[in-house]
Amino acid sequence: MSMNNTNPQKNNTNPPNPNNPHHLSSQFQLPQFSAAQAHAHAIAQAQLNAQAKVAAQAQANHAQFQAQLQAQGLALTNSPLFSGSGNTSAKRAPQKPLGRPPGSSNANAGSPMRTMELTPAARHKKKQKVSGKQLPDRVAAILPPSALYTQLLEFESRVDAAIIRKKIDIQEAVKDPPSVQKTLRIYVFNTFANQVQTIPQKPNAEPPSWTMKIIGRILEDGMDPEPQAGMMSKPNPLYPKFSSFFKRVGIQLDQKLYPDNHTILWDSSRTPTPHEGFEVKRKGDKEFTVNIRLEMNYLPEKFKLSSSLMEVLGIEVDTRTRVISAIWQYVKARKLQDADDPSYFNCDPPLLKVFGEEKVKFSMVSHKISSHLSPPPPIHLEHKMKLSGNSPAGNACYDVLVDVPLLVQKDLNALLANNEKTKEIEACDEAICTSIRKINEHRKRRAFFLGFSESPVEFIDALIESQGKDLKLLVGDANRNAEKESQADFYNQAWIEDAVIRYLNRRPARKST
């Protein structure tokens, strides 16, 4: 059998038979296949090299494009096209992304739109809003002349701050208006009617009566009118009304003549509406003396100083604040402040009578002088009721120093109440804000189209990826990974069994039929 096996091998060296076609094809089949396979391998290797070269070039373009966008404030995630040469498909490889033209300049390139910030950190950032009239920095980079607008805004902010400070000063001045001391001249007189001493009594005539009036006028500087002329003059509407200068007014009539209502009391807390004067009308034909008691209404409140404190400061009636200020001036003028502890001052003999201590702390002055301050005494006036002679009767007048608010207070109130200019300024601000919003929207559109024109493929890929992530976030599937869940290893984790048991326990039991 060995001989039979070796004979065919020897016969293979014989010349081929031209008449046998099967033998001829078998002769050339193996070399032709080997050559075709080698040629195909060479083509495939050339394609792979071309793909690798294209991928490398694309990767370089991508890196250059990424650097340019980062310089403009844009960040793109890695597109699958440029994730690596191993992951690059044969269909996607020839699509070389468009780069920036070599001759183009980056100086005038605008900032890409905000929605293209697709990195995970940037996606969770809050969308930047245009604050009021402030021009965004990206718009300012595109428009260099906008620096003038920014300077104008800074100047406007300084002007607004100055106006606000002045308004606060005006409001404080209105709350505590500055005042000036003026002389209030008080007139007390009476009129009478149907008195028996003046006219003979007639049948069915009205009973005799009298009317007493108390009025006052603020004397202008350098003016001293006669009593009769002062009584008849009209009050100045710019000054407060007469009753606003008093806290209480008491009028005491003769108790023998008027036993039932001989005391008349007016209180400003019960009748807050100010009046130009006081008037008392009664029936009667007997002359008598009327006692009038006036309690001044000081704003801010004033006090009468004790004799010891009056001796030190030389002040009889004043506010608590001005009394404390006068004490400080007294201590500073006589250099009584303690050298070791400046919060204390030493008492000289006059101050020792007031405080009773050799050393007093400044913060305790307000408390310690309370015993030396008392309400100022009321003003007592007397008026002789005359029921004969000239009417009105009585030409006595009394001068009292009062604090009168400056006349500019009404102008200040009118200035604060005037909102016409404020509304006009607010309308202009609203128009400016609207223009800024439109400019910002145009900047976003410009950035969108500019980013698309520079590299359409990467731009669209990044946009689709961003929109896909946003969509997953909206539907609540942002934390799920479909690729991992499709693999069997995902369900071999330790927590799967516990999760299945919990799920089965929560399911309602089916009723057996």
Side-chain angles (χ1 to χ4, degrees):
M1 293 182 63
S2 61
M3 292 295 293
N4 295 333
N5 291 334
T6 59
N7 288 334
Q9 296 177 359
K10 293 181 179 180
N11 293 333
N12 290 336
T13 60
N14 296 330
N17 187 2
N19 298 326
N20 191 354
H22 298 284
H23 185 78
L24 183 62
S25 63
S26 62
Q27 180 180 2
F28 292 98
Q29 184 176 6
L30 182 59
Q32 185 178 4
F33 175 77
S34 301
Q37 185 177 8
H39 181 66
H41 180 71
I43 293 175
Q45 186 66 29
Q47 290 179 350
L48 290 177
N49 293 336
Q51 291 178 4
K53 184 177 181 180
V54 169
Q57 183 66 26
Q59 189 71 21
N61 292 340
H62 173 69
Q64 181 182 3
F65 180 68
Q66 184 78 8
Q68 293 173 356
L69 293 183
Q70 287 179 355
Q72 299 176 3
L74 180 64
L76 294 174
T77 56
N78 291 329
S79 174
L81 180 62
F82 308 106
S83 58
S85 60
N87 295 333
T88 305
S89 62
K91 295 181 180 180
R92 299 293 297 276
Q95 298 179 357
K96 181 179 178 180
L98 296 177
R100 183 184 297 276
S104 63
S105 174
N106 195 26
N108 298 327
S111 302
M113 62 183 298
R114 185 72 178 179
T115 55
M116 289 305 297
E117 296 182 3
L118 305 176
T119 56
R123 283 189 295 105
H124 294 291
K125 287 183 179 180
K126 293 184 178 179
K127 188 175 180 180
Q128 185 177 2
K129 296 182 179 179
V130 180
S131 58
K133 299 180 293 182
Q134 190 69 31
L135 198 65
D137 295 337
R138 296 181 179 180
V139 177
I142 300 173
L143 301 174
S146 62
L148 298 176
Y149 174 76
T150 304
Q151 295 176 4
L152 184 61
L153 282 183
E154 294 176 356
F155 181 76
E156 183 187 16
S157 64
R158 293 196 295 268
V159 173
D160 290 341
I163 292 176
I164 290 175
R165 288 196 300 269
K166 292 301 180 182
K167 283 187 175 181
I168 293 175
D169 295 341
I170 292 174
Q171 290 174 354
E172 293 297 328
V174 170
K175 291 179 181 178
D176 188 12
S179 58
V180 60
Q181 275 197 342
K182 285 186 174 294
T183 301
L184 174 64
R185 179 159 291 181
I186 303 174
Y187 300 94
V188 182
F189 59 94
N190 70 278
T191 59
F192 49 88
N194 302 321
Q195 296 294 330
V196 179
Q197 296 88 344
T198 58
I199 58 175
Q201 188 174 7
K202 298 179 180 180
N204 300 327
E206 293 183 0
S209 62
W210 54 264
T211 302
M212 185 184 71
K213 294 183 179 181
I214 306 173
I215 63 174
R217 301 289 183 265
I218 297 293
L219 299 183
E220 299 293 344
D221 297 337
M223 295 182 61
D224 188 11
E226 295 294 331
Q228 193 71 20
M231 288 188 295
M232 297 305 173
S233 63
K234 292 183 179 180
N236 191 339
L238 299 178
Y239 293 125
K241 292 187 177 182
F242 177 71
S243 64
S244 62
F245 293 106
F246 303 98
K247 187 183 297 183
R248 295 181 189 85
V249 176
I251 300 175
Q252 190 81 20
L253 304 180
D254 192 341
Q255 188 173 3
K256 295 180 180 179
L257 298 177
Y258 303 95
D260 295 333
N261 53 357
H262 65 282
T263 301
I264 303 166
L265 182 63
W266 175 87
D267 196 332
S268 61
S269 60
R270 296 181 181 179
T271 55
T273 304
H275 304 282
E276 289 293 352
F278 303 98
E279 182 177 304
V280 179
K281 187 175 182 179
R282 292 289 187 272
K283 296 178 180 180
D285 55 358
K286 303 292 184 181
E287 295 183 352
F288 62 96
T289 301
V290 180
N291 294 318
I292 304 171
R293 185 173 183 268
L294 304 175
E295 294 184 19
M296 301 300 295
N297 183 25
Y298 294 111
L299 293 176
E301 188 177 6
K302 291 186 177 182
F303 301 91
K304 177 179 173 56
L305 280 65
S306 64
S307 58
S308 57
L309 188 57
M310 192 187 309
E311 181 182 353
V312 174
L313 304 179
I315 302 174
E316 185 177 357
V317 176
D318 214 330
T319 62
R320 180 186 291 268
T321 303
R322 296 183 64 176
V323 169
I324 295 175
S325 177
I327 293 176
W328 162 243
Q329 295 296 333
Y330 180 89
V331 170
K332 186 169 65 172
R334 288 162 177 76
K335 299 181 181 180
L336 299 177
Q337 191 171 5
D338 191 25
D340 298 332
D341 190 354
S343 62
Y344 285 83
F345 64 90
N346 301 315
C347 295
D348 58 357
L351 286 179
L352 191 59
K353 294 181 181 179
V354 176
F355 297 107
E357 301 176 4
E358 295 183 354
K359 184 181 293 187
V360 179
K361 194 173 185 179
F362 279 108
S363 59
M364 297 299 295
V365 171
S366 179
H367 174 70
K368 290 182 176 297
I369 65 173
S370 297
S371 58
H372 295 272
L373 303 178
S374 59
I379 300 173
H380 292 277
L381 304 177
E382 289 186 355
H383 174 67
K384 179 68 175 179
M385 190 68 67
K386 293 184 178 181
L387 303 179
S388 61
N390 297 327
S391 180
N395 54 4
C397 57
Y398 309 89
D399 292 342
V400 180
L401 289 178
V402 293
D403 293 329
V404 179
L406 292 177
L407 300 180
V408 74
Q409 182 181 5
K410 289 189 176 182
D411 297 334
L412 297 179
N413 289 329
L415 179 62
L416 293 176
N418 186 9
N419 295 326
E420 294 181 0
K421 294 296 181 181
T422 304
K423 292 180 180 179
E424 184 179 352
I425 293 174
E426 290 178 355
C428 294
D429 290 343
E430 184 63 28
I432 293 174
C433 292
T434 303
S435 301
I436 293 297
R437 286 193 294 268
K438 290 181 180 179
I439 291 174
N440 197 45
E441 291 298 328
H442 287 299
R443 178 196 65 81
K444 291 181 179 179
R445 293 192 187 99
R446 178 185 181 276
F448 181 88
F449 292 115
L450 183 62
F452 179 77
S453 65
E454 289 175 349
S455 181
V457 176
E458 288 190 11
F459 189 90
I460 296 300
D461 288 343
L463 183 62
I464 293 175
E465 182 180 358
S466 173
Q467 298 297 327
K469 292 180 179 180
D470 293 340
L471 181 61
K472 288 182 179 180
L473 186 63
L474 290 175
V475 299
D477 294 338
N479 296 327
R480 298 186 59 183
N481 192 332
E483 183 179 357
K484 290 185 178 180
E485 292 181 2
S486 63
Q487 300 176 2
D489 295 339
F490 179 80
Y491 300 95
N492 292 331
Q493 300 182 60
W495 58 272
I496 294 294
E497 183 178 357
D498 184 61
V500 171
I501 294 175
R502 290 175 179 271
Y503 172 74
L504 294 176
N505 290 336
R506 287 199 300 266
R507 295 181 59 186
R510 296 182 178 179
K511 296 182 180 180
S512 59
T513 56

